[in-house]
Amino acid sequence: MRWGGGLDFLRIILNGLCVTPSNDRSLFLLLPREGRARRIRSGLGAMRRVLLRLASGGNLRAPGWRPFTEQQLLCAFADYAGRLDIRFYDYSHRGLVTALRDVKADIVLPCSESLGRNFPVPWIGYIADFQHHYLPQLFTLRERFLRGRSFRTMLHDARTVLVNARTVRSDAEKYYAGSAANIIVLPFAPSVPPEWLDKDPSVVRRESGVPENYFIICNQFWVHKDHKTAFIAFASLLSRLHGDDVALVCTGGLHDYRAPGHIDRLKELLLELKITERVYLLGHIAKSEQIALVRGAVAVIQPTLFEGGPGGGSIYDAVALGVPSIVSDIPVNREVDASNLSYFSPGDDAELARLMLNAMENRKASASVAELLLQGEKRLAKLGQTLDYAISATLN
């Protein structure tokens, strides 16, 4: 509930569960509400982080990693009204058990932490990625230990575990050989909810002060998302265009809890490159507005050094909307199933700049709305079948 990509992942799961509605199946979305005890623990945790930051000479003014408010969560899932029942529960083990009993749940998913072998309701686990093995420098020793312990417990306790990519399943089998869990890879299933097409991209663009031609990056400003390479490439692109009015739009939270000074260093880079006025840092915005901006972009750029799913959430959306994408050539991104896709070597700003220029010079008309909806329905059908299989395998 502190991660925009996490909300997007829940939307994907909900889309798959809603695609084949059954008269004998009711869906509930349980969202956490922090009680007094949880708030006290959160406050103590925040105090500990401040002390650690002071001890290491860090920036005390760096913002914390705050969870979304209840209103923000309700807005994020407002378009599911009528298809499922949204309820808040006390954010604790006991609170979850109580909520599941209240709705007479047969199964609960996806669980990013093990609920234990003796949990009273069958459950399906979820592992996002094994980033701490590939980019250990982005994690403290304690964080690596806790992630390793959490994944080991998950693969020991869960009958079924969902992952977003074949590469993640391979990592689980490599690092935790001998696990009895049934690891199921979710299919790449981007789709276009009709309500995504309600907002006029030109209206949202004007409200944001963005010029007509722009590229967009929809990532939180975490170090491994590698905005730096995109910024340098964009500066190179501008030098080739000789004054053409083009911008780079960035959406997503501006804070990396692992590197509180990261956004400040990126802003300094923008100043050095003399492109501050051409780069729009919009922060976390409403999903409907983000989608409208993606629809109007020349292309979506995904410079990431690591992802747990093909292309990450931004490319998921771009493919659903038929918008061209330029993505880093890392193994998981090769699992993206799309035609209007270009790859560049991770960290290669010159190659990225060349592909951005090519995207501007060869803009093509996007697919029709009817075609996008049809493609999305086919992909969702596969996702729904996979989730139904995972549920049956866990219950039987």
Side-chain angles (χ1 to χ4, degrees):
M1 295 300 103
R2 300 168 186 262
W3 171 39
L7 300 189
D8 286 342
F9 175 69
L10 285 181
R11 293 177 65 90
I12 291 171
I13 295 295
L14 292 175
N15 291 341
L17 292 173
C18 290
V19 70
T20 52
S22 172
N23 293 330
D24 61 354
R25 179 166 74 184
S26 299
L27 298 177
F28 296 85
L29 175 61
L30 303 182
L31 300 171
R33 172 184 287 135
E34 287 194 337
R36 182 171 180 271
R38 188 78 186 196
R39 287 196 300 271
I40 292 174
R41 287 197 296 272
S42 297
L44 292 173
M47 187 181 300
R48 177 179 178 274
R49 288 191 293 274
V50 168
L51 293 174
L52 289 174
R53 195 175 300 142
L54 281 173
S56 61
N59 180 9
L60 187 59
R61 294 176 298 172
W65 201 27
R66 297 182 180 89
F68 295 110
T69 65
E70 290 187 15
Q71 187 58 42
Q72 286 174 318
L73 292 176
L74 288 173
C75 287
F77 299 102
D79 48 319
Y80 291 93
R83 290 186 285 173
L84 51 82
D85 188 344
I86 300 178
R87 301 189 183 189
F88 284 89
Y89 72 96
D90 176 50
Y91 188 25
S92 65
H93 186 89
R94 179 181 297 178
L96 178 59
V97 171
T98 300
L100 292 171
R101 285 175 173 162
D102 286 345
V103 302
K104 299 180 174 59
D106 297 298
I107 193 164
V108 56
L109 73 152
C111 303
S112 58
E113 295 180 7
S114 170
L115 297 182
R117 287 193 163 189
N118 297 320
F119 194 73
V121 178
W123 56 277
I124 295 177
Y126 168 67
I127 292 179
D129 59 54
F130 290 83
Q131 184 184 143
H132 62 295
H133 282 280
Y134 292 91
L135 299 174
Q137 70 274 17
L138 300 182
F139 299 83
T140 65
L141 183 62
R142 173 178 170 79
E143 286 173 329
R144 295 199 297 272
F145 169 76
L146 291 176
R147 281 173 67 94
R149 184 177 67 180
S150 175
F151 294 169
R152 185 179 303 106
T153 302
M154 173 72 75
L155 292 166
H156 176 267
D157 292 348
R159 292 190 62 184
T160 306
V161 175
L162 302 177
V163 296
N164 284 322
R166 296 187 299 273
T167 54
V168 180
R169 180 175 62 189
S170 297
D171 285 341
E173 293 169 348
K174 176 172 64 176
Y175 295 119
Y176 300 95
S179 166
N182 182 14
I183 303 174
I184 297 176
V185 180
L186 296 174
F188 186 70
S191 62
V192 185
E195 58 271 12
W196 278 15
L197 308 176
D198 290 342
K199 282 188 178 291
D200 186 337
S202 62
V203 172
V204 177
R205 174 180 59 76
R206 287 195 296 269
E207 291 174 347
S208 304
V210 176
E212 184 175 354
N213 293 315
Y214 61 91
F215 293 87
I216 190 167
I217 300 174
C218 301
N219 287 334
Q220 294 197 175
F221 277 75
W222 291 340
V223 173
H224 73 276
K225 297 296 185 178
D226 198 19
H227 288 80
K228 177 181 177 180
T229 292
F231 289 172
I232 296 173
F234 181 60
S236 177
L237 173 69
L238 290 177
S239 69
R240 302 182 194 186
L241 293 176
H242 306 295
D244 283 8
D245 194 16
V246 62
L248 177 61
V249 175
C250 299
T251 70
L254 301 177
H255 178 64
D256 187 341
Y257 76 99
R258 299 172 299 187
H262 180 56
I263 185 60
D264 294 328
R265 289 189 290 273
L266 287 176
K267 289 179 178 179
E268 290 172 2
L269 176 62
L270 294 177
L271 287 171
E272 292 173 10
L273 296 171
K274 299 180 180 179
I275 60 173
T276 301
E277 295 182 356
R278 296 290 194 96
V279 178
Y280 295 74
L281 307 181
L282 302 185
H284 183 82
I285 62 176
K287 187 67 179 180
S288 58
E289 295 178 359
Q290 181 196 44
I291 290 301
L293 289 173
V294 169
R295 290 174 60 204
V298 176
V300 174
I301 300 173
Q302 177 55 292
T304 183
L305 301 176
F306 189 91
E307 290 296 325
S314 62
I315 302 305
Y316 217 83
D317 293 342
V319 172
L321 296 164
V323 177
S325 304
I326 306 174
V327 303
S328 55
D329 194 1
I330 56 178
V332 71
N333 284 350
R334 284 290 176 178
E335 296 185 39
V336 176
D337 183 13
S339 56
N340 52 353
L341 198 70
S342 301
Y343 290 97
F344 68 97
S345 299
D348 191 334
D349 54 89
E351 189 177 3
L352 174 54
R354 179 182 62 79
L355 292 174
M356 293 171 73
L357 180 61
N358 183 65
M360 289 196 68
E361 294 176 342
N362 297 281
R363 295 190 71 168
K364 299 178 181 178
S366 59
S368 67
V369 171
E371 185 178 351
L372 292 175
L373 291 173
L374 179 60
Q375 292 173 351
E377 289 175 3
K378 292 179 179 178
R379 295 184 185 116
L380 278 183
K382 293 181 180 179
L383 175 60
Q385 291 168 3
T386 301
L387 289 172
D388 283 347
Y389 167 74
I391 292 170
S392 297
T394 305
L395 293 177
N396 297 330

